[in-house]
Amino acid sequence: MHLETTGRLTLPTDLDMIDETIRLKELLGADALRDCDGTLMPQELLDQNAKIYATYYTTRKDNDWAMKNPEEIQQEYLISDRITAKDTQLRIELMKGFHTQQLKVNTIDSPKRWWEVIDRTTGEIVPADQWEYDEASGEVVIETIPYHQYTVSFLAFLIWDPVHMYNFITNDWKDAPHQLTYDVRQPKTQAYVKEKLKKWCEENPKVDVVRFTTFFHQFTLTFDDKKREKFVEWFGYSASVSPYILEQFEKWAGYKFRPEFIVDQGYHNSIFRVPSKEFLDFIEFQQIEVSKLAKELVDIVHSYGKEAMMFLGDHWIGTEPFGKYFANIGLDAVVGSVGDGVTLRMISDIKGVKYTEGRLLPYFFPDVFTEGGDPIGGAQDNWMKARRAILRSPLDRIGYGGYLKLAAEWPSFIEQVQKVVNEFREIHANMQDTKAYTAPFKVGILNCWGNLRRWMANQVHHALWYREIYSYVGVIECLSGMPVDVEFITFDQVREGLDPDIKVIINAGDAYTSWSGAENWQDERVVCAIRRFVDQGGGFIGVGEPSACQYQGRFFQLSDVLGVDRELGFSMSTDKYNELNSNHFILEDTPGEIDFGEGKSRIYAQGENYQILNMDGKYSRLVVNAYGKGRSVYFSGLPYSPQNCRILLRAIYYAAHQEGEMKKYYVTNVDTELVVFEKTGKIAVINNSKEPKKTVLYVNGQLKKQLDLAPMEMRWENL
């Protein structure tokens, strides 16, 4: 095996970091250099033997153009606070609670045409002749019914690019001018941006890769009047609107656009909401239009002999990398930020590009590289999660972002980066473009979004921790590095007929969210299809509130399949006799306590075929159930940990009736995992902890070797 010592690595640089960049490039074997927001690429480094990436902004860094064309600045739909009328007239101040340096009410386009006033007590639209906009005071004056609540949905111009604002605040920039953000979809700006890109390509002959950050529409990132984040939705389409775009949408869709399709009662159609038909239509329309225009920019880049790379972040809305139209753009590469195994798979699973690249954490920003910060621990935790997923679905390249001068002041951090880069190259050398062994069946994750939002389930803003969701994100984090092929499926696919390769379905999330499914569970076609699937030998795993929708005397509509339901207070009069019996295949590796995370309370087992493996007082937290020829497993929650990975792995094999297959390739210690590359005859055993671990390796059910692993070690064995 030839181990590469260079390549597959991109480093950031800056004007005052020439010698240090060259030193680190040699030390780490980097083959590409990049600039970042707020940095510049020095001339001396353009002559280095390295691929040169240049960050290219299609929507900002040209305030002159934006100021000369104020009507073509990006726009966002906002919704006012809910205000209760105390009389027959109400005044609502539109910008209350918003940051006026970021947003400015659009009075250029007709408020009566594009705004909406809604009586939130009845849900009815207030007719346009019953309200007026008082531009002088910035208030909407409404004829009201006393003690009804009202909101105004309105268009505002984004007069400070949200990501530039975020970087400005995070890095405490003092003298950088606020960057305006213009709308490339508008005809005048579109023509200008294309010519500008051609000129830029001509003026930058030494740039090899144009890294678009990204294309046209920023995800929803709105700040409040104290410069704090007010609303962050990494998947949000609220800032991809303008009358120009919406008129085109109306022609395409054949019906009138309403602001409510976007602001959605004030939820801004967060990914947690069950998407309406109109919102899905709008997403599809945006995908079609964005991919068409993005292709024109990519073609310009290619005409100058350069590669086109897209950053999966910032202005990525409409590109939807798992959507139907993404491959049409013709990109060479996608790069994205790797927060964990899930976000790694979000990048590495993308098809339709020549290579994928992950930007590992931490970002070289002063909020981490500071006294009391822990960039080394952060890098180790980031790599342990990313490595599991890379072994399953590898990125082609890795890199870092931010200010190199900050990282260079931490020599032990650079040593950690060296370890990461060496292991990454080792993985590629051992797998040689072959696929890791996976179980002989597929696992389906069932939610309202399916493959469009592959590896995006239960996330607000990717890889950030939220108390309400870590018990669900843990499920897909575990799966990101498991020996199973995962499909993300919708309820419509269940109605149409399941892929026969899927042997286990997982439904995980809070009741009434897009992840659990809400009213889909009242559809007899859905519940009957899954009952049939399990009855005939399939497996079903529910986490949190699976199949939850209060209907016909049940909260979990698959309570018969799961063997559990949740007490909402309606069935307190019915006695429940739950008894623990923790002796089970799923828990054979787990003698101690189990972490159910936030979990769900008041879950009780019911029926005749259940076994309770873990209890919380008189209620249950982990239950298995037999249903016909099939099996189900219920978890009240499952945050990510090496132990929970093992429990879920065993639960999947159990639900699939494949317990024997699990021991084909196996390591005994729950803090360790293995990945097998049958074609190259290599086994990687990884220690997912910062402590030394002993583990026993089994191949084809036979004990092969006892291993002593150092903290975080990755050991290669021959098959």
Side-chain angles (χ1 to χ4, degrees):
M1 178 191 81
H2 171 63
L3 184 59
E4 303 162 337
T5 55
T6 59
R8 299 189 184 274
L9 176 65
T10 308
L11 286 180
T13 185
D14 203 351
L15 278 177
D16 57 356
M17 289 297 291
I18 296 164
D19 293 342
E20 193 62 7
T21 300
I22 293 168
R23 183 184 79 79
L24 290 173
K25 174 182 171 291
E26 297 305 319
L27 177 71
L28 300 170
D31 60 340
L33 300 173
R34 61 167 288 221
D35 58 5
C36 303
D37 197 10
T39 71
L40 292 164
M41 178 71 75
Q43 184 61 43
E44 291 89 333
L45 294 180
L46 292 173
D47 299 326
Q48 281 286 309
N49 179 27
K51 225 176 184 182
I52 302 296
Y53 293 15
T55 307
Y56 192 85
Y57 302 93
T58 54
T59 65
R60 61 179 170 109
K61 288 208 165 177
D62 191 340
N63 281 2
D64 283 351
W65 176 261
M67 285 190 280
K68 284 175 191 159
N69 300 278
E71 74 288 355
E72 297 203 355
I73 286 173
Q74 290 265 4
Q75 296 181 48
E76 179 175 341
Y77 258 119
L78 302 178
I79 184 168
S80 71
D81 289 340
R82 300 166 83 97
I83 307 292
T84 303
K86 301 280 179 79
D87 207 331
T88 55
Q89 192 185 78
L90 176 67
R91 299 179 78 92
I92 294 182
E93 183 189 340
L94 293 186
M95 291 302 290
K96 188 172 191 288
F98 293 106
H99 203 288
T100 52
Q101 288 182 333
Q102 188 199 12
L103 295 151
K104 177 183 162 194
V105 176
N106 173 1
T107 54
I108 295 173
D109 297 289
S110 165
K112 298 277 184 171
R113 167 83 165 94
W114 298 110
W115 299 9
E116 200 165 61
V117 179
I118 295 184
D119 180 334
R120 292 293 173 189
T121 301
T122 63
E124 292 170 359
I125 300 169
V126 177
D129 60 3
Q130 290 176 23
W131 59 269
E132 294 297 332
Y133 178 54
D134 179 354
E135 193 170 343
S137 68
E139 295 172 320
V140 169
V141 186
I142 312 164
E143 294 173 29
T144 53
I145 301 167
Y147 298 99
H148 282 219
Q149 277 193 332
Y150 294 85
T151 61
V152 184
S153 308
F154 61 102
L155 282 170
F157 287 112
L158 271 162
I159 55 172
W160 189 357
D161 179 85
V163 172
H164 187 256
M165 186 173 181
Y166 169 83
N167 288 343
F168 188 100
I169 294 164
T170 305
N171 295 304
D172 199 25
W173 292 341
K174 300 292 183 202
D175 51 358
H178 298 178
Q179 287 181 14
L180 290 152
T181 175
Y182 39 85
D183 185 2
V184 189
R185 298 278 291 286
Q186 307 274 350
K188 207 178 356 169
T189 297
Q190 190 178 132
Y192 172 76
V193 164
K194 286 177 196 168
E195 288 311 308
K196 188 181 171 191
L197 177 59
K198 288 175 191 169
K199 187 165 176 279
W200 185 91
C201 287
E202 283 161 18
E203 289 170 355
N204 291 274
K206 294 201 169 169
V207 168
D208 304 296
V209 180
V210 180
R211 179 188 179 272
F212 286 103
T213 306
T214 299
F215 285 107
F216 315 125
H217 303 299
Q218 171 64 39
F219 64 81
T220 313
L221 174 54
T222 309
F223 290 84
D224 70 11
D225 49 3
K226 294 186 174 76
K227 283 193 180 174
R228 300 172 305 190
E229 291 176 1
K230 180 181 175 80
F231 188 91
V232 188
E233 168 67 342
W234 199 76
F235 309 90
Y237 273 68
S238 296
S240 72
V241 290
S242 69
Y244 175 78
I245 289 169
L246 300 179
E247 281 172 352
Q248 287 180 312
F249 170 76
E250 288 179 342
K251 284 181 195 145
W252 177 83
Y255 56 83
K256 193 173 184 310
F257 181 86
R258 283 188 59 199
E260 195 69 359
F261 300 161
I262 294 289
V263 296
D264 175 39
Q265 299 172 43
Y267 294 112
H268 287 269
N269 258 314
S270 106
I271 195 172
F272 285 75
R273 297 279 287 160
V274 173
S276 64
K277 180 199 177 292
E278 294 86 357
F279 186 50
L280 289 173
D281 283 350
F282 187 68
I283 288 176
E284 177 153 16
F285 167 76
Q286 291 291 58
Q287 286 181 81
I288 292 167
E289 295 301 315
V290 165
S291 65
K292 224 186 307 184
L293 183 52
K295 183 184 189 309
E296 292 185 48
L297 298 191
V298 167
D299 287 348
I300 290 169
V301 167
H302 286 163
S303 74
Y304 287 92
K306 301 178 190 298
E307 289 183 3
M309 174 184 270
M310 175 187 117
F311 175 56
L312 183 55
D314 294 10
H315 295 77
W316 77 283
I317 293 304
T319 62
E320 296 290 354
F322 299 107
K324 292 184 285 188
Y325 309 97
F326 177 77
N328 301 348
I329 299 172
L331 286 158
D332 297 283
V334 170
V335 61
S337 179
V338 174
D340 50 18
V342 168
T343 46
L344 188 135
R345 293 292 296 266
M346 199 193 290
I347 305 160
S348 67
D349 278 23
I350 292 172
K351 304 285 184 279
V353 290
K354 292 173 187 154
Y355 63 96
T356 56
E357 184 168 324
R359 191 183 69 200
L360 299 182
L361 296 180
Y363 207 60
F364 304 165
F365 266 10
D367 54 340
V368 177
F369 289 84
T370 183
E371 195 178 331
D374 183 20
I376 297 151
Q380 289 174 336
D381 293 341
N382 184 246
W383 179 240
M384 274 196 291
K385 284 186 173 181
R387 181 173 66 181
R388 297 179 63 241
I390 285 170
L391 283 159
R392 294 284 159 206
S393 174
L395 295 162
D396 298 293
R397 301 179 55 82
I398 55 175
Y400 291 87
Y403 305 112
L404 195 62
K405 61 171 80 61
L406 291 173
E409 288 165 6
W410 294 66
S412 44
F413 175 77
I414 299 299
E415 280 173 34
Q416 178 57 37
V417 170
Q418 213 170 353
K419 286 181 195 164
V420 166
V421 172
N422 289 341
E423 284 197 2
F424 181 66
R425 293 185 185 123
E426 227 175 276
I427 290 168
H428 275 281
N430 280 293
M431 67 192 301
Q432 294 172 29
D433 295 326
T434 64
K435 190 179 183 306
Y437 166 82
T438 53
F441 58 88
K442 285 182 178 175
V443 172
I445 304 278
L446 172 62
N447 60 48
C448 294
W449 291 100
N451 199 56
L452 182 68
R453 296 288 164 82
R454 185 177 177 81
W455 299 109
M456 300 173 186
N458 282 294
Q459 294 189 78
V460 178
H461 179 35
H462 78 330
L464 290 188
W465 190 89
Y466 287 84
R467 178 177 168 175
E468 296 84 352
I469 58 171
Y470 76 102
S471 313
Y472 300 125
V473 176
V475 175
I476 56 170
E477 182 63 37
C478 289
L479 284 166
S480 72
M482 270 190 195
V484 288
D485 284 329
V486 181
E487 293 291 335
F488 290 76
I489 58 174
T490 63
F491 288 91
D492 281 343
Q493 284 169 279
V494 171
R495 291 177 183 104
E496 289 156 13
L498 289 164
D499 174 350
D501 290 340
I502 292 174
K503 297 295 183 235
V504 177
I505 292 171
I506 299 177
N507 181 232
D510 276 351
Y512 302 107
T513 62
S514 60
W515 312 118
S516 177
E519 283 76 15
N520 282 289
W521 293 110
Q522 289 182 19
D523 185 340
E524 62 181 302
R525 292 171 297 168
V526 171
V527 288
C528 293
I530 293 182
R531 283 178 182 141
R532 184 183 303 110
F533 166 78
V534 182
D535 189 42
Q536 293 176 356
F540 188 82
I541 296 176
V543 184
E545 295 179 306
S547 77
C549 183
Q550 184 60 35
Y551 182 63
Q552 293 298 312
R554 282 285 177 268
F555 188 47
F556 292 176
Q557 293 307 310
L558 292 179
S559 61
D560 56 334
V561 173
L562 287 160
V564 298
D565 204 351
R566 186 164 189 223
E567 176 58 77
L568 297 184
F570 303 145
S571 54
M572 296 290 286
S573 310
T574 304
D575 290 332
K576 301 158 184 80
Y577 300 101
N578 282 194
E579 291 178 17
L580 181 69
N581 175 5
S582 60
N583 184 20
H584 197 275
F585 170 80
I586 290 173
L587 297 182
E588 278 174 16
D589 288 341
T590 311
E593 286 298 307
I594 301 170
D595 179 8
F596 292 96
E598 206 62 16
K600 288 291 165 202
S601 61
R602 301 180 300 184
I603 300 293
Y604 63 93
Q606 45 88 62
E608 295 174 358
N609 303 303
Y610 65 81
Q611 181 181 338
I612 302 169
L613 310 189
N614 189 286
M615 292 185 76
D616 171 23
K618 67 174 188 174
Y619 286 111
S620 301
R621 294 192 291 204
L622 174 52
V623 179
V624 295
N625 192 57
Y627 187 83
K629 294 178 185 170
R631 292 167 169 173
S632 76
V633 185
Y634 172 81
F635 293 92
S636 64
L638 200 78
Y640 173 76
S641 69
Q643 176 173 287
N644 279 356
C645 272
R646 182 61 58 89
I647 293 171
L648 181 61
L649 181 73
R650 296 185 79 97
I652 288 168
Y653 275 94
Y654 170 76
H657 283 85
Q658 298 263 4
E659 296 98 316
E661 182 69 26
M662 193 185 73
K663 284 279 175 85
K664 181 171 180 175
Y665 302 118
Y666 194 69
V667 280
T668 52
N669 190 316
V670 297
D671 286 311
T672 64
E673 285 180 292
L674 84 169
V675 183
V676 178
F677 299 98
E678 291 179 323
K679 287 184 179 164
T680 65
K682 294 289 181 185
I683 301 173
V685 182
I686 52 175
N687 179 0
N688 291 319
S689 81
K690 294 181 181 179
E691 309 289 331
K693 296 289 173 184
K694 293 180 185 297
T695 195
V696 179
L697 170 63
Y698 283 83
V699 174
N700 293 322
Q702 304 295 310
L703 189 154
K704 182 175 171 77
K705 202 170 190 179
Q706 300 202 11
L707 301 172
D708 287 306
L709 298 176
M712 293 181 60
E713 185 181 354
M714 176 171 68
R715 178 87 55 88
W716 290 93
E717 296 286 338
N718 292 320
L719 190 55

